[in-house]
Amino acid sequence: MKKPKGIRILSALCLGCFIMVIFYFNSSLKPEPLGEQSGGQKTRRSPLQALYEGDQVESPVQAIHQGRRELLEEACRSYTRKRRVLIPEDLKHIIVDDKHGLLYCYVPKVACTNWKRVLMVLTGVSGDHKDPLAIPANEAHVPGNLRTLSEYSNSQINQRLRSYLKFIFVREPFERLVSAYRNKFTRSYNTAFHKRYGTKIVRRHRADPQPEALEKGNDVSFEEFVYYLVDPATQREEPFNEHWERVHSLCHPCLIHYDVVGKYETLEQDSRYVLQLAGVDKQIRFPASSKSTRTTGDMAASFFQNISPFYQKKLYNLYRMDFLLFNYTVPAYLKFR
């Protein structure tokens, strides 16, 4: 006897939820090793095995990363009340390196251009380029150059979440925010951002704007940018752009068990650690960052000088989870406390 249409739809939805629940629980399981080659011959040790099954005496770097994992897990237990399942949309920022067993969740303004360059070399999509810095920055961000986890089937996603090394790099939230503002709103070449976001910010948050500002959107102040971020209408209209979206919304660290939490403040050391775990530190080096142009804590403090305590508090509340999850203290320059 044929089931009524409503029951068939409900059954399909339940099956879909079951698949995604598997998907969620697998994301927080302890690692599974990669498979064996035919004939029972073992493959080389995977990055995940190198991390969790290493027989060497624990190094200071290993201890640091173990501490970060524990702090993140504790923060998730303390501050995450509602648990939910992952959906493919959540995985669009996770880049897959099947050759080396790596999953990298990229966060804009946290050295993601250089990590994409490195992964292009490791996965072989860089062509003749063996030096990451030889790859133009714009090429590193071309969609389709690197595969993301959202492109795989549920079973393939499960397998990779269990057996690949999952890593992320984070940064002090307000330094990252100021860096995004400086890059997207104070550089003359970023006309696409000026048109897309600048004109909207000027229209909404500037009293008596000039016609040229309404047309070009190329002179947005940091104060106006803050007003735009804390305005409830902003996120009602559309999600934040990835350059100022919160890390916990991009990478879901309370749903996905990250094995390595790298920090921008210790970028060189943490990047070398990931490459060592992957067994490629002898063939590739992570590019050194330019310290002359980077956004520092002192620079971030200067941008917040003209932000009132009221808006400082609202902005902190917006990024509060990133401060808590990744163990960043409230900046001393904020005046709302």
Side-chain angles (χ1 to χ4, degrees):
M1 182 173 140
K2 192 173 180 181
K3 292 181 182 178
K5 184 177 179 182
I7 294 176
R8 294 201 308 274
I9 292 171
L10 183 61
S11 299
L13 286 171
C14 290
L15 177 61
C17 289
F18 176 71
I19 290 169
M20 296 311 291
V21 166
I22 292 175
F23 184 128
Y24 163 78
F25 281 110
N26 279 340
S27 71
S28 54
L29 291 174
K30 285 297 180 188
E32 258 186 20
L34 296 177
E36 294 187 348
Q37 291 177 339
S38 58
Q41 196 175 24
K42 287 189 176 181
T43 62
R44 64 176 177 80
R45 193 166 65 169
S46 74
L48 206 57
Q49 289 170 316
L51 176 64
Y52 289 107
E53 299 174 14
D55 52 8
Q56 69 273 28
V57 177
E58 184 176 69
S59 70
V61 174
Q62 287 174 305
I64 287 169
H65 286 279
Q66 175 65 24
R68 288 178 186 172
R69 285 194 297 272
E70 291 172 356
L71 282 168
L72 177 56
E73 289 170 7
E74 179 59 35
C76 286
R77 285 193 294 269
S78 299
Y79 301 110
T80 306
R81 295 176 184 173
K82 293 182 179 179
R83 306 288 288 181
R84 68 170 182 83
V85 297
L86 287 162
I87 58 174
E89 183 73 21
D90 296 328
L91 307 175
K92 287 188 172 181
H93 268 247
I94 299 181
I95 294 172
V96 181
D97 176 0
D98 283 321
K99 186 176 178 182
H100 298 92
L102 299 172
L103 296 178
Y104 162 58
C105 187
Y106 73 90
V107 178
K109 308 312 300 176
V110 193
C112 77
T113 300
N114 281 341
W115 263 114
K116 286 181 180 181
R117 285 166 160 157
V118 167
L119 288 167
M120 286 176 71
V121 173
L122 291 179
T123 56
V125 301
S126 61
D128 295 332
H129 296 309
K130 300 304 177 189
D131 175 8
L133 285 178
I135 302 170
N138 63 326
E139 192 175 320
H141 298 294
V142 172
N145 273 346
L146 294 162
R147 293 193 72 182
T148 64
L149 197 55
S150 60
E151 299 172 38
Y152 292 78
S153 69
N154 284 346
S155 62
Q156 291 171 326
I157 289 168
N158 277 330
Q159 187 268 329
R160 283 159 178 78
L161 285 171
R162 286 196 304 269
S163 60
Y164 285 15
L165 182 87
K166 299 170 290 295
F167 70 99
I168 181 177
F169 275 75
V170 300
R171 184 177 186 178
E172 200 280 338
F174 284 172
E175 283 185 30
R176 176 175 171 250
L177 187 65
V178 170
S179 178
Y181 166 76
R182 291 179 63 217
N183 180 253
K184 301 306 175 187
F185 294 105
T186 69
R187 304 287 191 267
S188 60
Y189 55 79
N190 266 323
T191 54
F193 268 81
H194 301 162
K195 279 282 188 182
R196 175 75 176 79
Y197 297 101
T199 54
K200 183 186 295 185
I201 292 171
V202 169
R203 187 170 65 251
R204 283 190 182 170
H205 300 290
R206 183 178 301 178
D208 301 320
Q210 296 298 310
E212 185 179 2
L214 287 168
E215 181 188 351
K216 294 184 178 179
N218 61 354
D219 62 347
V220 171
S221 69
F222 185 66
E223 294 96 312
E224 290 167 338
F225 180 51
V226 169
Y227 300 155
Y228 165 77
L229 292 172
V230 301
D231 183 353
T234 299
Q235 288 191 82
R236 281 201 301 265
E237 281 188 357
E238 60 182 349
F240 276 168
N241 180 274
E242 63 178 11
H243 291 85
W244 47 85
E245 179 60 280
R246 286 70 53 92
V247 176
H248 74 270
S249 295
L250 292 174
C251 296
H252 311 284
C254 293
L255 299 179
I256 296 171
H257 174 85
Y258 286 98
D259 306 293
V260 175
V261 178
K263 293 200 168 187
Y264 192 73
E265 296 78 10
T266 50
L267 177 62
E268 185 178 342
Q269 172 182 284
D270 296 343
S271 298
R272 184 168 58 248
Y273 182 55
V274 172
L275 296 176
Q276 286 172 348
L277 291 171
V280 297
D281 55 305
K282 298 292 191 293
Q283 67 188 68
I284 190 169
R285 290 185 62 185
F286 190 81
S289 61
S290 171
K291 290 186 169 60
S292 61
T293 58
R294 65 180 290 181
T295 301
T296 64
D298 288 342
M299 192 179 294
S302 69
F303 276 84
F304 274 84
Q305 282 181 347
N306 296 325
I307 307 299
S308 71
F310 175 78
Y311 280 103
Q312 286 183 4
K313 177 70 171 176
K314 287 176 78 72
L315 192 67
Y316 174 78
N317 287 339
L318 193 61
Y319 289 87
R320 177 173 174 267
M321 282 302 291
D322 281 359
F323 279 97
L324 295 172
L325 292 176
F326 302 114
N327 199 31
Y328 286 108
T329 58
V330 179
Y333 55 77
L334 295 183
K335 307 166 192 169
F336 63 79
R337 292 170 298 175

